[in-house]
Amino acid sequence: MNLHRYLKIFFALIFVMSAIFISGCDVEEDKPQKVSVNFADTYNPNDTWLVYWYVCGSDLESDGGAASEDIQELLGAKLPDNVKVLIQAGGANEWHNAVIKSGQTNMLLYDKDGLHELGAYEDANMGDPSTLAGFLQYGKDNFQADHKVFIFWDHGGGSALGLCFDERTQDPLNLNEIHDAFAAVYDNSPENPPFEVVGFDTCLMATYELANDLYGFSRYMVASEELEPGNGWEYTGMMTALAENPAMSGAGLGQKICDSYYKGCEETWSEDNITLSVIDLSKMPQLRVAYENFGLEALKLSSQNPRQFFSNLGRHAQRAENYGGNTRESGYYDMIDLADLAKKSQKLLPQTSAALIEAVDEAVVYKVNGEYRDQGSGISGFYPYDGGEAMLSVYSQIYSAPLPQKCLYYHLIYGFMPAEAEELLKGATIQQIPQPAQKQNIFDIASLEDTKIKLDKNYNAFVKLTSEQVDLLSSVHCVLAYVDVENDVILYLGSDSNVDADWEKGTFKDNFDGTWLMLNGYPVFIEVTADEENYTLYSVPIKLNGVRCNLEIAYKFKEKEYQILGARRKTSEKSMPDKNLIKLKAGDKITTLHYGMTISGDDTDFTEVEVDTFTLDENPPVFKEERIGDGEYLYCFEFVTPNNETATSEFVNFTIKGNDIFTNQLED
């Protein structure tokens, strides 16, 4: 956000306006329980199983040996004669074990007699679909098994970014490539799929698009909607369960994967915001119809009144559980929980929401959720939170993505209906996808720039918008900045959802009481990543021992307390999210990061600056609201459109002295 012009103009005025004195205005959910399910055994105890494990080590292995640790976990499971694990490992610059070597493709087998090296082959790009197809073909040609499981291991980035990012080639597998690789080796057979389970020990891949891709290739899919912690799946537990009961069904195995994963996360204190679900892919035809109908109803309404419809849908999407952060600070992965979006949109899309919720519920036969991901249904889908063309362009090329949603989001981003949408609304069957075109802006928010702030009788700052202006918006945040005249700097402290919003009346009022969020007494920059009924999640940029990270924070409404979940390394734009959630510990060196500009200079935007540095002692770090300290502060409202464009109101100046707050804004 560029606040420079508004800050400088307002700053020039604040010292000539009269001050009005005002006093400061004041401003346990139980952990989700896993539903008990007993899946009946389906097969003969003597049936044979082959587990394919596609291990793309990437930086997870090079930097910390995460793949080697999971392979060691596998070796903790004692296998019977009828259960084997075939491993292909590559995609890392360095390996932290004596068996797998960099610069080659490693083929291994783990069975009742231990781990065997089957051979080393020419170094292959693990992000190339031919490498994946070659591994599938190798297993098919060399092993006979009654039941097959396939597990992908590495980073995941959701439907648009794919998974298995080979760090040497900088190449991931996209969803079309995964489909094509399976189709190159196996016939698609919904009645008798070649695989019992296809699983993803990766982030963000429990998506509708991926499940639709695998329909006919597997009976079940196991994956996470949210980011996974670095410990990932627990291979000793899941493989021991299969070893002890080879008669289990794919659903039963999926349950064991989920339960052992949850237990492993509890042991590492990383279970708070995890998800993992088991999806019955035989239910995809019903889910496909329900999701496409949901998209068609939305497309019809957007064709009638796009501005009003998209602003309402955008508000529901902001409130629905979504994954990976989806803010400017944490990055955008554009994934949303399908059923939660439908629940939030039932009044907006009354004809199809209930059917979509039911179809998701039918498809997800088992799932585990952490305390701060308790609204997840088990299946996510693409939603363009970033408002950009790049992610939509990738999404529009995915075979398995529904055409109504492609057209709907095209309309949102480009501002007009593609021809394919018009044919869809007529009932025709269309195979082509929308092509890029010149953008039109249906959310022109120029009228909201410098919106006047007024004071009510209690001296709370507020803005009053017209119904036409409200129809432009999906969310309204408050923004706070600190003005340091002596050092000629303005520090942008972030944005929060702590606004008293009345969408019907178009009134948005401040709740500023002179406090801000602090880490061990130091103010931090914050962005809201989730604003749920029972909790709010925040992202806080820091340097942790010199490494750029985002600290993940949760606020629980019932307990009225904050919890530090951990830190993830900051990744480059449009790259895979970091899988490791780092717990803070004594001796860690923390540097708070803010965004600043000079008051007198020619800055055109805020730049990241390091502000406070401190070292954690033996006491647990404390994150809470505290008095922010004496000084001059600028407060404004930030208006956000459904396609992620922003505008800001004018600023009101708050002067804090002790427990009192003054404002220079005269009442109109």
Side-chain angles (χ1 to χ4, degrees):
M1 180 179 62
N2 187 347
L3 300 179
H4 181 263
R5 180 170 63 88
Y6 313 109
L7 285 170
K8 293 192 74 172
I9 292 174
F10 189 80
F11 183 75
L13 297 174
I14 61 177
F15 295 107
V16 299
M17 300 178 67
S18 59
I20 299 174
F21 173 83
I22 61 171
S23 61
C25 43
D26 296 326
V27 191
E28 168 154 341
E29 296 294 325
D30 293 331
K31 286 191 176 184
Q33 298 297 310
K34 300 187 290 289
V35 178
S36 178
V37 178
N38 292 315
F39 294 106
D41 290 345
T42 305
Y43 302 117
N44 189 299
N46 296 319
D47 282 0
T48 55
W49 288 78
L50 179 65
V51 178
Y52 294 70
W53 197 9
Y54 194 74
V55 183
C56 181
S58 70
D59 63 321
L60 295 172
E61 173 64 20
S62 294
D63 293 347
S68 294
E69 290 178 2
D70 280 354
I71 292 172
Q72 191 62 42
E73 277 185 0
L74 172 66
L75 303 185
K78 184 175 176 56
L79 301 184
D81 187 57
N82 57 335
V83 177
K84 295 178 173 64
V85 181
L86 178 65
I87 305 168
Q88 178 167 309
N93 289 328
E94 181 182 357
W95 288 86
H96 294 258
N97 63 71
V99 178
I100 301 173
K101 306 293 192 302
S102 58
Q104 62 187 34
T105 300
N106 302 268
M107 199 74 71
L108 309 167
L109 180 70
Y110 182 60
D111 60 15
K112 67 181 181 63
D113 297 318
L115 187 66
H116 314 278
E117 295 183 59
L118 298 181
Y121 300 88
E122 183 179 351
D123 196 13
N125 174 11
M126 296 289 280
D128 190 318
S130 65
T131 304
L132 173 58
F135 181 47
L136 287 164
Q137 190 67 56
Y138 180 92
K140 184 178 182 181
D141 292 342
N142 292 279
F143 296 90
Q144 294 295 318
D146 298 309
H147 315 293
K148 293 184 287 292
V149 176
F150 197 99
I151 299 172
F152 290 88
W153 189 102
D154 189 28
H155 289 294
S159 292
L161 295 182
L163 66 150
C164 287
F165 186 80
D166 188 314
E167 71 171 339
R168 301 159 311 120
T169 63
Q170 301 292 293
D171 186 19
L173 287 167
N174 65 46
L175 269 59
N176 291 351
E177 290 173 336
I178 292 171
H179 176 276
D180 290 347
F182 275 85
V185 179
Y186 289 99
D187 293 332
N188 187 285
S189 175
E191 296 77 20
N192 188 27
F195 284 84
E196 188 70 17
V197 174
V198 175
F200 298 85
D201 188 0
T202 65
C203 298
L204 300 171
M205 297 312 302
T207 79
Y208 165 87
E209 293 81 13
L210 185 51
N212 203 17
D213 248 345
L214 293 174
Y215 174 67
F217 292 114
S218 183
R219 297 185 191 279
Y220 297 93
M221 181 175 107
V222 180
S224 171
E225 291 186 273
E226 184 55 286
L227 302 177
E228 284 191 357
N231 53 279
W233 290 10
E234 207 287 305
Y235 288 90
T236 303
M238 59 176 275
M239 289 308 302
T240 296
L242 180 60
E244 292 176 348
N245 183 21
M248 69 170 59
S249 66
L253 177 58
Q255 181 185 34
K256 299 299 182 183
I257 294 171
C258 289
D259 289 347
S260 61
Y261 171 64
Y262 193 93
K263 181 180 178 182
C265 290
E266 284 185 313
E267 292 172 351
T268 57
W269 301 89
S270 59
E271 80 279 10
D272 290 313
N273 56 356
I274 65 168
T275 63
L276 200 64
S277 50
V278 184
I279 301 168
D280 182 350
L281 297 180
S282 71
K283 305 297 184 182
M284 287 308 298
Q286 298 93 319
L287 178 57
R288 187 182 303 122
V289 170
Y291 192 32
E292 290 184 356
N293 284 343
F294 184 80
L296 283 169
E297 184 181 6
L299 195 61
K300 181 177 181 180
L301 292 174
S302 76
S303 70
Q304 298 167 356
N305 190 336
R307 181 180 296 173
Q308 185 179 73
F309 172 77
F310 282 123
S311 65
N312 280 301
L313 182 65
R315 290 171 214 160
H316 300 321
Q318 291 293 332
R319 291 175 53 239
E321 188 163 289
N322 59 89
Y323 306 105
N326 294 313
T327 67
R328 288 163 297 196
E329 182 59 39
S330 61
Y332 292 94
Y333 299 99
D334 291 353
M335 299 308 302
I336 191 169
D337 185 82
L338 291 192
D340 201 30
L341 176 61
K343 289 174 185 175
K344 299 295 194 297
S345 306
Q346 287 186 84
K347 290 184 179 179
L348 180 65
L349 300 167
Q351 298 178 29
T352 59
S353 294
L356 178 55
I357 295 167
E358 182 179 357
V360 170
D361 187 59
E362 286 291 320
V364 178
V365 295
Y366 193 75
K367 62 187 176 73
V368 292
N369 299 73
E371 182 178 9
Y372 301 123
R373 299 284 79 183
D374 61 353
Q375 301 302 305
S377 66
I379 300 177
S380 61
F382 179 84
Y383 182 87
Y385 284 102
D386 68 328
E389 300 172 41
M391 293 283 271
L392 177 65
S393 177
V394 175
Y395 177 72
S396 69
Q397 301 301 317
I398 297 174
Y399 306 147
S400 55
L403 184 57
Q405 274 75 3
K406 291 180 182 180
C407 293
L408 179 71
Y409 299 142
Y410 182 99
H411 190 191
L412 169 62
I413 301 302
Y414 287 105
F416 60 91
M417 286 278 196
E420 291 83 357
E422 297 173 4
E423 294 299 318
L424 264 180
L425 293 174
K426 294 176 184 177
T429 300
I430 305 296
Q431 299 301 322
Q432 298 298 315
I433 59 174
Q435 298 299 312
Q438 187 69 32
K439 288 180 71 172
Q440 296 178 8
N441 192 356
I442 58 177
F443 298 102
D444 184 0
I445 58 171
S447 65
L448 291 177
E449 292 287 7
D450 298 325
T451 298
K452 183 173 179 58
I453 288 183
K454 300 181 180 181
L455 296 179
D456 65 14
K457 61 182 180 181
N458 296 317
Y459 299 104
N460 294 111
F462 73 95
V463 292
K464 180 72 170 69
L465 305 183
T466 66
S467 59
E468 291 79 11
Q469 289 173 323
V470 168
D471 284 346
L472 294 170
L473 305 178
S474 60
S475 62
V476 176
H477 302 145
C478 62
V479 171
L480 189 67
Y482 170 66
V483 181
D484 187 344
V485 179
E486 182 177 347
N487 292 305
D488 191 37
V489 68
I490 298 172
L491 284 182
Y492 174 32
L493 298 178
S495 62
D496 197 356
S497 59
N498 187 20
V499 173
D500 186 4
D502 188 329
W503 288 91
E504 294 295 326
K505 295 181 179 179
T507 303
F508 302 89
K509 185 184 300 184
D510 88 83
N511 283 322
F512 182 60
D513 60 358
T515 65
W516 195 250
L517 292 173
M518 308 267 197
L519 177 60
N520 275 20
Y522 297 95
V524 294
F525 178 92
I526 61 170
E527 278 190 332
V528 175
T529 60
D531 198 6
E532 300 289 350
E533 182 178 350
N534 299 320
Y535 57 85
T536 298
L537 301 181
Y538 295 92
S539 177
V540 175
I542 63 170
K543 279 191 174 179
L544 177 59
N545 300 318
V547 178
R548 179 65 165 77
C549 295
N550 286 318
L551 196 61
E552 297 183 4
I553 307 291
Y555 177 72
K556 296 184 283 189
F557 294 133
K558 184 177 180 180
E559 291 83 353
K560 295 182 179 180
E561 64 182 25
Y562 292 88
Q563 179 181 354
I564 300 173
L565 303 180
R568 293 186 194 273
R569 291 175 300 175
K570 174 82 171 182
T571 56
S572 60
E573 187 177 1
K574 301 305 181 188
S575 67
M576 298 289 179
D578 185 43
K579 195 174 181 180
N580 293 305
L581 184 65
I582 306 165
K583 297 295 183 179
L584 301 186
K585 63 185 185 303
D588 280 342
K589 184 179 179 181
I590 307 292
T591 299
T592 61
L593 300 176
H594 292 264
Y595 295 87
M597 63 170 61
T598 61
I599 298 170
S600 60
D602 296 325
D603 311 49
T604 59
D605 207 345
F606 286 94
T607 57
E608 187 174 272
V609 292
E610 299 180 9
V611 180
D612 296 303
T613 297
F614 55 95
T615 301
L616 299 181
D617 58 22
E618 296 297 331
N619 298 311
V622 176
F623 193 87
K624 64 179 181 179
E625 290 183 30
E626 298 184 52
R627 301 295 298 182
I628 198 169
D630 292 355
E632 299 288 335
Y633 296 88
L634 299 179
Y635 180 102
C636 74
F637 296 95
E638 179 186 33
F639 309 111
V640 186
T641 68
N643 59 353
N644 206 34
E645 295 184 358
T646 62
T648 53
S649 70
E650 69 175 7
F651 286 82
V652 60
N653 169 253
F654 288 112
T655 301
I656 299 177
K657 292 183 179 179
N659 292 324
D660 296 323
I661 306 177
F662 302 82
T663 182
N664 64 330
Q665 185 78 27
L666 292 174
E667 186 173 5
D668 191 327

